[in-house]
Amino acid sequence: MPENSDDFPWIFVKNVDNALSNLKNCEAYIVAGMQSVTNTALDLVVTQTDTGDDYNMENLMSEYVEMDRYLNQYITAVETTLNQVKDKNYLNLTPNLKVLVEEKLLALKNSNTEGDLKKDDRLVQFRKQLRDVKKQCGLPVDPTDDDSEEQIDEDMIVTQSQTNLICPITQLEMKKPVKNKVCGHTYEEEAIRRIIESKHKRNKKACCPKVGCSHTDVKLTDLVQDVVLGRAIENHRRMADSQNKQNH
Ligand SMILES: [Zn+2]
């Protein structure tokens, strides 16, 4: 058993780090899954396929959200354990890493509530998109949906459409907006990814590029696709295009 920090098994740490970054890549699959569930659910509404189906779509969506929560908590548990082990430098004992990770995961799980899941941004947006499309198609909207909540959502989207279509990095209208879960700002995916990667290569933290934001450690894993804003931008562009055509 190693007795001093020189013998610290960095290869082991490197392996765990690699495994972790593979795990973080899984998030992209979950996001892609959510996207296709959303698209399918919207298609079902538009084609007016049996309304029983979109209930299932919502269940599927919450399964994705739950999966994402589990993935993030697992990553957090492993990361904190790893940092703990690095700090202790394996002094006199080799800690049982599996137990340490499981303890942390359990603590995180115990802090979960069903309510968190229902209030998850992505689920709320999913339900709102379905409601909007149903209204556009002249279909009845589930009366249990809270109108006041919807009002807030719509206000939020109006504000967004006026101010947040522009990426704070490129100063251009975004094509693929991603939202930072921590500070709530949105950026062009490609642009923020480049900033984070180049900072991390130099072992620096990436500050949020939005003027006035105090968030100083933007991580790739904190970024989620902003589906609603993406659609708003798409609509905005389509409208601008058709106006251009009319003018020429
Ligand atoms: Zn920010």
Side-chain angles (χ1 to χ4, degrees), residues 73 76-77 80 99-113:
Q73 290 182 335
T76 307
T80 36
V99 171
L100 283 179
V101 171
E102 274 165 5
E103 270 173 12
K104 292 190 176 62
L105 195 56
L106 190 67
L108 287 168
K109 263 190 191 164
N110 286 340
S111 68
N112 291 341
T113 66

mmCIF file of all heavy atoms in Angstrom, residues 73 76-77 80 99-113:
data_model
loop_
_atom_site.group_PDB
_atom_site.id
_atom_site.type_symbol
_atom_site.label_atom_id
_atom_site.label_comp_id
_atom_site.label_asym_id
_atom_site.label_seq_id
_atom_site.Cartn_x
_atom_site.Cartn_y
_atom_site.Cartn_z
ATOM 1 N N GLN A 73 -26.228 12.873 -10.701
ATOM 2 C CA GLN A 73 -25.924 12.613 -9.299
ATOM 3 C C GLN A 73 -24.821 11.567 -9.174
ATOM 4 O O GLN A 73 -23.970 11.659 -8.296
ATOM 5 C CB GLN A 73 -27.196 12.175 -8.563
ATOM 6 C CG GLN A 73 -28.166 13.343 -8.432
ATOM 7 C CD GLN A 73 -29.424 12.999 -7.678
ATOM 8 O OE1 GLN A 73 -29.826 11.842 -7.618
ATOM 9 N NE2 GLN A 73 -30.056 14.005 -7.115
ATOM 10 N N THR A 76 -21.625 13.368 -9.876
ATOM 11 C CA THR A 76 -21.265 14.187 -8.715
ATOM 12 C C THR A 76 -20.676 13.319 -7.604
ATOM 13 O O THR A 76 -19.649 13.668 -7.004
ATOM 14 C CB THR A 76 -22.511 14.922 -8.167
ATOM 15 O OG1 THR A 76 -23.118 15.633 -9.235
ATOM 16 C CG2 THR A 76 -22.145 15.887 -7.060
ATOM 17 N N ALA A 77 -21.314 12.179 -7.340
ATOM 18 C CA ALA A 77 -20.845 11.294 -6.271
ATOM 19 C C ALA A 77 -19.424 10.807 -6.560
ATOM 20 O O ALA A 77 -18.558 10.817 -5.676
ATOM 21 C CB ALA A 77 -21.794 10.112 -6.111
ATOM 22 N N THR A 80 -16.876 13.853 -6.291
ATOM 23 C CA THR A 80 -16.547 14.280 -4.927
ATOM 24 C C THR A 80 -15.705 13.220 -4.223
ATOM 25 O O THR A 80 -14.782 13.548 -3.490
ATOM 26 C CB THR A 80 -17.808 14.588 -4.085
ATOM 27 O OG1 THR A 80 -18.834 13.674 -4.431
ATOM 28 C CG2 THR A 80 -18.290 15.990 -4.302
ATOM 29 N N VAL A 99 -17.911 2.043 -1.542
ATOM 30 C CA VAL A 99 -18.779 2.422 -0.429
ATOM 31 C C VAL A 99 -18.909 3.939 -0.359
ATOM 32 O O VAL A 99 -20.002 4.482 -0.171
ATOM 33 C CB VAL A 99 -18.236 1.850 0.901
ATOM 34 C CG1 VAL A 99 -19.004 2.423 2.081
ATOM 35 C CG2 VAL A 99 -18.317 0.334 0.889
ATOM 36 N N LEU A 100 -17.782 4.649 -0.552
ATOM 37 C CA LEU A 100 -17.816 6.116 -0.507
ATOM 38 C C LEU A 100 -18.763 6.676 -1.562
ATOM 39 O O LEU A 100 -19.568 7.564 -1.288
ATOM 40 C CB LEU A 100 -16.408 6.682 -0.743
ATOM 41 C CG LEU A 100 -15.437 6.618 0.433
ATOM 42 C CD1 LEU A 100 -14.087 7.192 0.032
ATOM 43 C CD2 LEU A 100 -15.996 7.367 1.629
ATOM 44 N N VAL A 101 -18.663 6.134 -2.783
ATOM 45 C CA VAL A 101 -19.532 6.616 -3.863
ATOM 46 C C VAL A 101 -20.986 6.312 -3.533
ATOM 47 O O VAL A 101 -21.866 7.163 -3.676
ATOM 48 C CB VAL A 101 -19.143 5.975 -5.215
ATOM 49 C CG1 VAL A 101 -20.182 6.292 -6.284
ATOM 50 C CG2 VAL A 101 -17.784 6.482 -5.665
ATOM 51 N N GLU A 102 -21.223 5.083 -3.051
ATOM 52 C CA GLU A 102 -22.608 4.696 -2.758
ATOM 53 C C GLU A 102 -23.227 5.557 -1.665
ATOM 54 O O GLU A 102 -24.390 5.943 -1.748
ATOM 55 C CB GLU A 102 -22.677 3.207 -2.386
ATOM 56 C CG GLU A 102 -22.804 2.343 -3.627
ATOM 57 C CD GLU A 102 -22.522 0.875 -3.378
ATOM 58 O OE1 GLU A 102 -22.308 0.486 -2.209
ATOM 59 O OE2 GLU A 102 -22.502 0.123 -4.369
ATOM 60 N N GLU A 103 -22.424 5.876 -0.651
ATOM 61 C CA GLU A 103 -22.908 6.748 0.432
ATOM 62 C C GLU A 103 -23.364 8.089 -0.119
ATOM 63 O O GLU A 103 -24.432 8.590 0.213
ATOM 64 C CB GLU A 103 -21.776 7.031 1.423
ATOM 65 C CG GLU A 103 -21.659 6.052 2.555
ATOM 66 C CD GLU A 103 -20.403 6.328 3.379
ATOM 67 O OE1 GLU A 103 -19.772 7.407 3.210
ATOM 68 O OE2 GLU A 103 -20.064 5.454 4.172
ATOM 69 N N LYS A 104 -22.519 8.658 -0.976
ATOM 70 C CA LYS A 104 -22.824 9.991 -1.504
ATOM 71 C C LYS A 104 -24.044 9.951 -2.413
ATOM 72 O O LYS A 104 -24.891 10.839 -2.382
ATOM 73 C CB LYS A 104 -21.622 10.528 -2.271
ATOM 74 C CG LYS A 104 -20.468 10.815 -1.357
ATOM 75 C CD LYS A 104 -19.382 11.570 -2.064
ATOM 76 C CE LYS A 104 -18.284 11.914 -1.088
ATOM 77 N NZ LYS A 104 -17.670 10.680 -0.523
ATOM 78 N N LEU A 105 -24.096 8.891 -3.213
ATOM 79 C CA LEU A 105 -25.220 8.752 -4.134
ATOM 80 C C LEU A 105 -26.527 8.635 -3.353
ATOM 81 O O LEU A 105 -27.537 9.238 -3.703
ATOM 82 C CB LEU A 105 -25.003 7.519 -5.013
ATOM 83 C CG LEU A 105 -25.882 7.414 -6.249
ATOM 84 C CD1 LEU A 105 -25.735 8.644 -7.125
ATOM 85 C CD2 LEU A 105 -25.520 6.175 -7.052
ATOM 86 N N LEU A 106 -26.468 7.879 -2.266
ATOM 87 C CA LEU A 106 -27.662 7.686 -1.447
ATOM 88 C C LEU A 106 -28.121 9.016 -0.856
ATOM 89 O O LEU A 106 -29.312 9.343 -0.863
ATOM 90 C CB LEU A 106 -27.368 6.673 -0.334
ATOM 91 C CG LEU A 106 -28.599 6.198 0.431
ATOM 92 C CD1 LEU A 106 -29.494 5.363 -0.477
ATOM 93 C CD2 LEU A 106 -28.200 5.388 1.663
ATOM 94 N N ALA A 107 -27.139 9.800 -0.366
ATOM 95 C CA ALA A 107 -27.484 11.098 0.221
ATOM 96 C C ALA A 107 -28.144 11.992 -0.823
ATOM 97 O O ALA A 107 -29.140 12.664 -0.547
ATOM 98 C CB ALA A 107 -26.230 11.768 0.771
ATOM 99 N N LEU A 108 -27.590 11.980 -2.046
ATOM 100 C CA LEU A 108 -28.167 12.801 -3.121
ATOM 101 C C LEU A 108 -29.572 12.321 -3.466
ATOM 102 O O LEU A 108 -30.489 13.110 -3.642
ATOM 103 C CB LEU A 108 -27.278 12.742 -4.366
ATOM 104 C CG LEU A 108 -25.963 13.517 -4.295
ATOM 105 C CD1 LEU A 108 -25.064 13.150 -5.456
ATOM 106 C CD2 LEU A 108 -26.236 15.012 -4.290
ATOM 107 N N LYS A 109 -29.717 10.986 -3.533
ATOM 108 C CA LYS A 109 -31.017 10.410 -3.876
ATOM 109 C C LYS A 109 -32.058 10.776 -2.838
ATOM 110 O O LYS A 109 -33.198 11.059 -3.165
ATOM 111 C CB LYS A 109 -30.906 8.885 -3.929
ATOM 112 C CG LYS A 109 -30.697 8.329 -5.315
ATOM 113 C CD LYS A 109 -30.851 6.820 -5.241
ATOM 114 C CE LYS A 109 -30.416 6.144 -6.505
ATOM 115 N NZ LYS A 109 -30.214 4.706 -6.273
ATOM 116 N N ASN A 110 -31.642 10.752 -1.558
ATOM 117 C CA ASN A 110 -32.591 11.044 -0.494
ATOM 118 C C ASN A 110 -33.094 12.478 -0.556
ATOM 119 O O ASN A 110 -34.142 12.800 -0.018
ATOM 120 C CB ASN A 110 -31.964 10.771 0.876
ATOM 121 C CG ASN A 110 -31.870 9.279 1.132
ATOM 122 O OD1 ASN A 110 -32.570 8.494 0.489
ATOM 123 N ND2 ASN A 110 -31.004 8.883 2.054
ATOM 124 N N SER A 111 -32.300 13.347 -1.198
ATOM 125 C CA SER A 111 -32.732 14.746 -1.293
ATOM 126 C C SER A 111 -33.694 14.949 -2.468
ATOM 127 O O SER A 111 -34.253 16.017 -2.645
ATOM 128 C CB SER A 111 -31.517 15.660 -1.446
ATOM 129 O OG SER A 111 -30.919 15.429 -2.703
ATOM 130 N N ASN A 112 -33.887 13.903 -3.288
ATOM 131 C CA ASN A 112 -34.799 14.021 -4.432
ATOM 132 C C ASN A 112 -36.249 14.015 -3.979
ATOM 133 O O ASN A 112 -36.600 13.325 -3.043
ATOM 134 C CB ASN A 112 -34.640 12.824 -5.378
ATOM 135 C CG ASN A 112 -33.314 12.836 -6.082
ATOM 136 O OD1 ASN A 112 -32.660 13.868 -6.146
ATOM 137 N ND2 ASN A 112 -32.924 11.697 -6.604
ATOM 138 N N THR A 113 -37.074 14.761 -4.682
ATOM 139 C CA THR A 113 -38.510 14.648 -4.445
ATOM 140 C C THR A 113 -39.211 14.479 -5.787
ATOM 141 O O THR A 113 -38.678 14.867 -6.828
ATOM 142 C CB THR A 113 -39.085 15.899 -3.760
ATOM 143 O OG1 THR A 113 -38.967 16.991 -4.674
ATOM 144 C CG2 THR A 113 -38.375 16.226 -2.470
#
